Amino acid sequence: ETGVTQSPTHLIKTRGQQVTLRCSSQSGHNTVSWYQQALGQGPQFIFQYYREEENGRGNFPPRFSGLQFPNYSSELNVNALELDDSALYLCASSRDLQETNEKLFFGSGTQLSVL
Amino acid sequence: QKEVEQDPGPLSVPEGAIVSLNCTYSNSAFQYFMWYRQYSRKGPELLMYTYSSGNKEDGRFTAQVDKSSKYISLFIRDSQPSDSATYLCAMAGGFKTIFGAGTRLFVKA
């Protein structure tokens, strides 16, 4: 069983640029959630995708957007990067919506630095 | 007021000690309660989850939920240096999981 994989592992961008982060969910999982984790903080919910549709969104501006593909892999796009976007971006998958309440399986994250 | 409050620590204990980690929450809609462990430069991994008040035990770990007080705890018995990590409490209801800030734990050999 393949776990959740994220790419790239590290990324350096400058303010104003755009970035795309990628996530392959665990085999058999159809739900993907994205989280932002600033240094010393817990993960903050960005949004969730279930069967290619956005199923909920946290308190993040519209410049944070996402996609989920038919194979349930997912992308997180961030436009007009700001310095405060520097963080670890985590992708988590779950077998279905109900298991999202109980068990999230996380990737190792993408460390984004905005200069 | 944050939905989930967790003391960030750090908490330093000798090997073999009993560790108590705690969180409080404000949203009565939370129905599921989890503890995740996060090692440095890794994603969180699920330790335990429960959806009812009371205790749940798994090896050296015991999760305790008191819904009336909106308070959850994780106890680690016979702590080991390999338990050194950040422990995140998490709560869910409506398919969105909210995390605490995490408590950094150091277990000294």
Side-chain angles (χ1 to χ4, degrees):
Chain A
E1 187 178 66
T2 307
V4 179
T5 58
Q6 293 186 242
S7 62
T9 55
H10 295 83
L11 204 51
I12 299 175
K13 291 286 188 178
T14 56
R15 197 169 47 182
Q17 285 188 311
Q18 177 265 342
V19 68
T20 297
L21 311 181
R22 294 179 174 82
C23 170
S24 292
S25 59
Q26 186 161 316
S27 176
H29 289 191
N30 61 22
T31 306
V32 172
S33 304
W34 284 92
Y35 286 82
Q36 180 196 66
Q37 187 175 25
L39 192 63
Q41 299 296 316
Q44 299 293 311
F45 177 72
I46 302 175
F47 44 56
Q48 179 186 85
Y49 280 85
Y50 172 64
R51 293 186 175 180
E52 303 178 60
E53 297 287 332
E54 187 178 293
N55 186 56
R57 189 179 183 91
N59 190 27
F60 280 81
R63 58 190 186 83
F64 285 78
S65 63
L67 281 174
Q68 188 179 32
F69 301 99
N71 66 354
Y72 304 129
S73 65
S74 179
E75 286 183 354
L76 165 65
N77 299 288
V78 187
N79 293 323
L81 284 167
E82 300 177 0
L83 298 178
D84 284 349
D85 295 333
S86 296
L88 179 67
Y89 287 85
L90 294 162
C91 169
S93 73
S94 50
R95 191 178 306 276
D96 53 38
L97 279 179
Q98 175 55 35
E99 281 208 358
T100 299
N101 283 328
E102 304 164 0
K103 310 172 193 175
L104 292 173
F105 293 84
F106 283 88
S108 292
T110 295
Q111 184 65 54
L112 173 65
S113 299
V114 182
L115 306 177
Chain B
Q1 181 187 12
K2 290 184 179 180
E3 285 188 282
V4 179
E5 298 277 2
Q6 183 176 11
D7 186 338
L11 182 61
S12 184
V13 302
E15 183 176 357
I18 296 175
V19 176
S20 172
L21 305 169
N22 311 292
C23 287
T24 60
Y25 63 97
S26 58
N27 190 342
S28 298
F30 290 139
Q31 299 170 18
Y32 300 86
F33 306 90
M34 288 75 71
W35 286 93
Y36 285 81
R37 178 174 61 196
Q38 186 174 24
Y39 291 113
S40 181
R41 288 185 287 277
K42 295 289 187 183
E45 60 175 330
L46 179 69
L47 277 176
M48 300 181 72
Y49 78 93
T50 183
Y51 53 85
S52 59
S53 284
N55 294 350
K56 182 177 181 179
E57 189 173 317
D58 184 1
R60 296 186 295 112
F61 299 90
T62 299
Q64 192 174 78
V65 174
D66 183 347
K67 288 187 177 180
S68 62
S69 300
K70 297 189 179 65
Y71 188 87
I72 71 170
S73 300
L74 178 71
F75 299 96
I76 306 174
R77 290 183 298 280
D78 187 25
S79 55
Q80 303 295 309
S82 58
D83 294 329
S84 298
T86 296
Y87 289 79
L88 298 156
C89 65
M91 298 160 198
F95 316 127
K96 182 173 75 171
T97 300
I98 305 297
F99 288 84
T103 300
R104 294 180 64 193
L105 173 66
F106 297 96
V107 181
K108 300 172 292 185

